[in-house]
Amino acid sequence: MNDANNSRASINQETMNQQPLMNKRGLYVRRFLFIAIALVAVSFGAMFFVMSQMSQQIPSDLDTATSKPSVNSLYEVSYQPSEEPIPIGSLQTWLLEVTTPQGERVQDATVMVAGDMPEHGHGLPTSPVVTAQEDGSYLVEGLKFQMGGWWYTEFKISSPLGDDTVRFDFVLSK
Amino acid sequence: MMQTGPRILLLLSILAVLIVVTVVTVRVLGQQPRWTDEEKAVLENLWLESLPPLPPDPSNHVADDGRAAALGQALFFDPRFSSNGQVACGSCHRPELNFTDGLPLAQGVGSTNRKAMTVVGTAYSPWLFWDGRKDSQWAQATEPLENANEHNLDRSSVVHLLATHYREPYEAVFGPLPDLSDSTRFHSRAGPVADTEAQAAWQSMAPENQETINQIFTNFGKAVAAYERTLQPKPSRFDAYVKAVLGQDAKAQNVLSDDEIAGLKLFIGEGNCTDCHNGPLFTTHEFHNTGVPEVEGLPEDLGRANGAKLVATNEFNCTSFYSDAAPEDCAELRFLKTEGHELERAFKVPTLRNVAKMAPYMHAGQFTTLGEVLNHYNTAPEAPAGHSELQPLNFSEGQLKQLELFLQTLND
């Protein structure tokens, strides 16, 4: 590129010596070219900007499964929200199912719940309560998500089978 | 070497092609709809017409009684309910300033430590005050009456004033007032207040007499709350714009200027303002630490960290004897969070409807103008206590101005 510029410069140097009028015209042409290229660059820049605005900032490898094994595979856990899509700003109840890996319901567990927005540094705005149901499922009452974005809930499960945790990630639209 | 003429022609041709490409690109971009479907959903969510009907207030059985609202309105603007006869609820909640007072710190009989919040739209909020230490409009309305820097009264005085000046309208709503003439049972000045004489008188009263006073005192609050429930924001230019966008009425979209629209775009986009200022009232009614500076001379203010503990044990909360709600109606209180690092110096997200009428800003009027507020969000300084949730926006001066122009479109 530099070489090309240098050679063009040297040609121009020659023509300037021979034909000063021509060089002046060449200068205009180069100015037009420069402006045109700049315009194209700006319009492409604008296009990329618009495209970048349209993309969502959801972590690419986020696991949003609603049913999964606990960290140490002691339990299989799934949840069902009372409303879908999960609304922002109102109290929610989730139904939690806890089974052994073989699919038997774990009915005598103590379940603790916590939640967090990793990008915001705050947890749930409420203190949800988990109660065991007669049918062996667990009712998680008092969940609230006060803003859209990336959330997770984490359940600590303790039963005679052992202590384990499970985390559910999800993204709420704004 | 090419002849000069053809060379110029070639260059001009290239130039022409480039110009065509540029023009076409710009046209194509220009034809893109201004708002994506996702953005339109956000706009609709902020639209006043998306505001749901008033939620019932089961803790206040006269909440929707028109006679109670009329009584409440009269009480709201009556300065006789103050120690110096000059302070009414309406002194700090002035209708012409969207029910705020234009001051950094509310001024009653004395000077308070916080800015007066608007009462417009508070029927939708589960928590009242900057720290959410009350969970109903009626419980909120009673507290300033006994604050030494606000109305500087005590509940027994309030009850006696009510019986003297409002017996008829009160009894029409709440039933007959008891005989309060026995000053040994119902002291003229008594209440759990800072004034030691009134406090001692209150302590000396029998529980059933305290209960009688409390009942009438909270009815004062319930009447005021019935009036406050009627205070709702009206449509703004922003709402007209959203209506035009959703109705695809291109002409009507001119109700906002290009700069105001650009500000709106920043508000719901890069600014992340809708994280907290969301919904038709532009607030999630929650509490956040945004690193707002302390005010010299004021005591340390931990915000929600204190407010949550106070509402949990408040004598007039949703589960109290004086509430008309059944325990199952008090879900917000049941799931109240009282512990957590994020509560420290977290304050209630205020509504942004009519924000331009509500200067100065923040819980102690730390910022005089909207420009100063936006500068704070742009730089996101460290919080004086706890942890600020803000990230610097790094917007240009021009962008900040556009945001400010947009905020002014929220006036009704």
Side-chain angles (χ1 to χ4, degrees):
Chain A
M1 192 71 185
N2 280 342
D3 287 347
N5 285 342
N6 289 343
S7 62
R8 201 186 305 155
S10 61
I11 292 167
N12 285 341
Q13 196 70 35
E14 279 170 30
T15 51
M16 188 169 73
N17 293 339
Q18 292 163 9
Q19 295 171 298
L21 196 69
M22 276 311 301
N23 182 59
K24 208 174 175 186
R25 219 176 274 168
L27 258 174
Y28 284 134
V29 170
R30 263 184 284 158
R31 260 183 218 166
F32 277 127
L33 256 178
F34 178 77
I35 291 167
I37 290 168
L39 277 173
V40 171
V42 166
S43 56
F44 272 92
M47 206 155 64
F48 281 117
F49 176 75
V50 169
M51 284 168 73
S52 72
Q53 291 301 293
M54 286 158 70
S55 66
Q56 294 181 332
Q57 295 191 337
I58 300 171
S60 57
D61 59 343
L62 194 66
D63 173 11
T64 57
T66 60
S67 180
K68 58 167 73 165
S70 53
V71 174
N72 298 317
S73 302
L74 288 182
Y75 307 104
E76 274 289 325
V77 190
S78 65
Y79 73 89
Q80 177 66 48
S82 52
E83 281 180 74
E84 285 185 290
I86 298 169
I88 294 172
S90 58
L91 290 170
Q92 300 292 301
T93 302
W94 283 12
L95 197 64
L96 202 72
E97 297 278 357
V98 184
T99 68
T100 64
Q102 291 74 37
E104 287 170 33
R105 272 187 162 163
V106 179
Q107 301 197 8
D108 45 3
T110 304
V111 181
M112 307 284 281
V113 57
D116 201 70
M117 280 199 98
E119 293 172 308
H120 285 261
H122 64 70
L124 293 168
T126 53
S127 294
V129 175
V130 184
T131 44
Q133 301 289 94
E134 277 183 13
D135 66 359
S137 62
Y138 297 84
L139 209 57
V140 188
E141 295 175 278
L143 285 164
K144 193 194 266 187
F145 309 102
Q146 74 268 47
M147 61 175 76
W150 173 25
W151 282 92
Y152 72 79
T153 51
E154 191 170 65
F155 296 93
K156 290 185 179 169
I157 302 163
S158 302
S159 86
L161 295 175
D163 296 349
D164 210 350
T165 63
V166 62
R167 166 176 162 160
F168 294 108
D169 286 84
F170 49 97
V171 178
L172 303 184
S173 58
K174 295 194 176 186
Chain B
M1 191 184 154
M2 202 186 277
Q3 291 293 309
T4 309
R7 196 172 135 188
I8 289 173
L9 271 179
L10 178 68
L11 287 172
L12 285 176
S13 311
I14 293 171
L15 185 61
V17 169
L18 289 175
I19 288 172
V20 168
V21 167
T22 307
V23 167
V24 168
T25 310
V26 168
R27 288 286 302 263
V28 166
L29 283 177
Q31 282 167 3
Q32 295 280 332
R34 209 197 285 255
W35 303 104
T36 63
D37 287 345
E38 200 177 312
E39 287 172 329
K40 280 184 189 169
V42 175
L43 292 182
E44 186 170 5
N45 198 25
L46 294 169
W47 191 26
L48 193 56
E49 288 193 30
S50 301
L51 190 68
L54 266 181
D57 180 0
S59 72
N60 180 3
H61 73 284
V62 300
D64 298 307
D65 183 330
R67 296 166 308 166
L71 170 62
Q73 182 171 9
L75 297 174
F76 190 90
F77 292 104
D78 191 336
R80 288 176 294 193
F81 290 91
S82 63
S83 65
N84 63 5
Q86 293 174 24
V87 180
C89 308
S91 305
C92 296
H93 302 288
R94 294 162 52 188
E96 69 274 20
L97 293 174
N98 197 42
F99 289 83
T100 60
D101 59 4
L103 299 170
L105 300 173
Q107 306 293 315
V109 171
S111 182
T112 71
N113 296 334
R114 296 239 180 94
K115 179 184 161 55
M117 301 190 88
T118 184
V119 292
V120 178
T122 50
Y124 288 88
S125 181
W127 312 110
L128 285 298
F129 286 125
W130 284 104
D131 55 10
R133 65 185 181 276
K134 292 293 165 78
D135 63 349
S136 69
Q137 287 179 304
W138 62 267
Q140 186 281 327
T142 57
E143 187 179 302
L145 294 163
E146 290 194 311
N147 184 310
N149 289 319
E150 298 183 57
H151 299 245
N152 192 30
L153 282 184
D154 54 84
R155 56 193 66 183
S156 198
S157 295
V158 171
V159 168
H160 284 288
L161 283 165
L162 198 57
T164 305
H165 302 295
Y166 291 93
R167 176 174 292 275
E168 199 179 316
Y170 176 94
E171 291 187 338
V173 177
F174 297 105
L177 277 163
D179 180 6
L180 300 165
S181 59
D182 184 349
S183 61
T184 57
R185 287 174 63 210
F186 302 107
H187 296 285
S188 56
R189 286 183 59 242
V193 292
D195 180 282
T196 49
E197 266 183 49
Q199 194 180 70
W202 180 252
Q203 297 304 333
S204 72
M205 282 173 66
E208 63 271 23
N209 296 332
Q210 288 183 344
E211 194 183 300
T212 300
I213 294 292
N214 280 345
Q215 194 76 66
I216 303 164
F217 183 55
T218 50
N219 283 345
F220 178 107
K222 287 175 184 178
V224 169
Y227 165 60
E228 291 179 340
R229 270 170 80 77
T230 67
L231 303 174
Q232 298 302 333
K234 295 174 186 69
S236 63
R237 277 201 297 132
F238 162 75
D239 298 298
Y241 177 75
V242 176
K243 189 173 189 171
V245 168
L246 298 178
Q248 296 181 324
D249 182 344
K251 200 177 165 198
Q253 290 179 32
N254 293 333
V255 69
L256 294 195
S257 71
D258 285 347
D259 276 334
E260 288 165 343
I261 293 166
L264 170 58
K265 196 119 191 164
L266 292 170
F267 187 88
I268 70 167
E270 284 175 89
N272 293 317
C273 310
T274 49
D275 280 352
C276 299
H277 295 287
N278 208 348
L281 296 176
F282 284 76
T283 170
T284 56
H285 309 291
E286 291 295 334
F287 303 85
H288 295 279
N289 182 333
T290 53
V292 176
E294 285 175 321
V295 176
E296 208 180 315
L298 290 185
E300 185 183 37
D301 194 338
L302 292 178
R304 185 59 171 163
N306 282 341
K309 291 182 179 76
L310 289 170
V311 73
T313 55
N314 184 252
E315 61 179 329
F316 299 143
N317 73 16
C318 186
T319 55
S320 72
F321 174 79
Y322 301 98
S323 161
D324 303 318
E328 60 267 25
D329 294 326
C330 303
E332 290 284 355
L333 198 61
R334 181 182 169 206
F335 303 114
L336 170 72
K337 183 175 192 164
T338 55
E339 300 289 341
H341 67 91
E342 60 271 72
L343 304 184
E344 190 176 352
R345 216 174 151 73
F347 294 93
K348 193 165 172 225
V349 179
T351 178
L352 295 184
R353 288 202 169 267
N354 288 302
V355 67
K357 297 180 191 170
M358 298 195 287
Y361 302 103
M362 307 307 191
H363 65 271
Q366 283 93 332
F367 302 127
T368 310
T369 62
L370 279 176
E372 285 179 28
V373 175
L374 293 170
N375 245 351
H376 174 80
Y377 282 95
N378 209 34
T379 51
E382 288 282 313
H387 171 74
S388 171
E389 293 175 34
L390 297 186
Q391 300 287 335
L393 294 174
N394 296 320
F395 282 167
S396 67
E397 286 294 320
Q399 287 174 307
L400 293 176
K401 192 69 201 167
Q402 288 173 329
L403 263 176
E404 187 178 339
L405 288 170
F406 159 65
L407 290 172
Q408 287 166 357
T409 71
L410 298 174
N411 281 356
D412 60 24

